[in-house]
Amino acid sequence: MRSSGLCLGAATLGLVTVEKNGDNISIAEALTKPHEGNPRELLLQLLSQEEEMRLCATGRKFRYLLDLPSIAEPEAVELACQHVLGKIPADGPVDGVVSAGSETFILYELDEKGQVGSVHTGNKCASGSGEFFLQQIKRMGLTPAEALGASVGEEPYPVAGRCSVFCKSDCTHALN
């Protein structure tokens, strides 16, 4: 059985399709594409490639515009954690999940069971933080997974959190 989760963000559309074979659930496909201000066109293009699809939507920006089952982002984070927590190294549990999108920056603080305990969010001033993060790790020749792995056991570097412009300045100077 195949099911898909759709995240309609302010600038991108994310789609993850999972397959269930017995008790095993595996990711069959995962993609993130910029919708360039027209999420409807990109969504219709992606859905036209599928014959039949079970679909649920999340996302802070456009999910309410769809006539689909929908879940809030914290619930989506918890469900994703349930899937991946068994694959986390023995170093310890994940403390949080960051959603760094085009308009918002959100930290979901997790408990030892992978449940969202608290949510810390910035305002629209965090605009572009996620894209900036991807640009900087690419500049260092890293993938997102390599950047995450490099952070394990390291002390956090203090950066401005209230404004992405200040944060970008702090990060750029530190990287240089």
Side-chain angles (χ1 to χ4, degrees):
M1 173 187 342
R2 288 173 61 103
S3 299
S4 296
L6 172 70
C7 181
L8 288 167
T12 60
L13 184 149
L15 183 69
V16 175
T17 301
V18 295
E19 288 183 329
K20 184 174 183 181
N21 294 317
D23 290 338
N24 186 32
I25 297 174
S26 61
I27 296 174
E29 181 181 10
L31 63 88
T32 301
K33 291 188 173 193
H35 57 63
E36 299 174 359
N38 194 344
R40 177 186 165 92
E41 183 179 315
L42 180 59
L43 179 59
L44 290 174
Q45 176 189 358
L46 291 172
L47 295 179
S48 70
Q49 299 170 7
E50 296 289 329
E51 291 180 25
E52 186 177 317
M53 178 186 289
R54 294 171 47 145
L55 187 63
C56 181
T58 190
R60 299 170 47 86
K61 186 81 172 170
F62 294 113
R63 75 179 168 110
Y64 298 110
L65 301 177
L66 300 173
D67 186 18
L68 288 172
S70 168
I71 59 174
E73 200 166 327
E75 185 180 359
V77 167
E78 289 179 349
L79 291 169
C81 285
Q82 287 175 13
H83 178 70
V84 299
L85 275 176
K87 300 173 185 172
I88 292 175
D91 307 12
V94 172
D95 297 324
V97 173
V98 171
S99 174
S102 296
E103 286 192 355
T104 56
F105 184 91
I106 303 169
L107 169 65
Y108 297 99
E109 201 171 330
L110 304 177
D111 64 18
E112 64 281 348
K113 296 178 184 173
Q115 301 296 304
V116 174
S118 61
V119 178
H120 308 276
T121 184
N123 60 15
K124 299 274 187 192
C125 192
S127 175
S129 298
E131 190 61 31
F132 174 74
F133 174 73
L134 293 174
Q135 289 169 357
Q136 295 307 302
I137 63 173
K138 184 177 180 182
R139 184 176 165 208
M140 292 185 286
L142 300 173
T143 66
E146 291 168 334
L148 181 61
S151 70
V152 174
E154 294 295 325
E155 283 296 314
Y157 183 83
V159 296
R162 86 181 158 81
C163 175
S164 64
V165 174
F166 296 145
C167 178
K168 290 174 184 181
S169 294
D170 290 349
C171 292
T172 301
H173 291 302
L175 184 56
N176 287 338

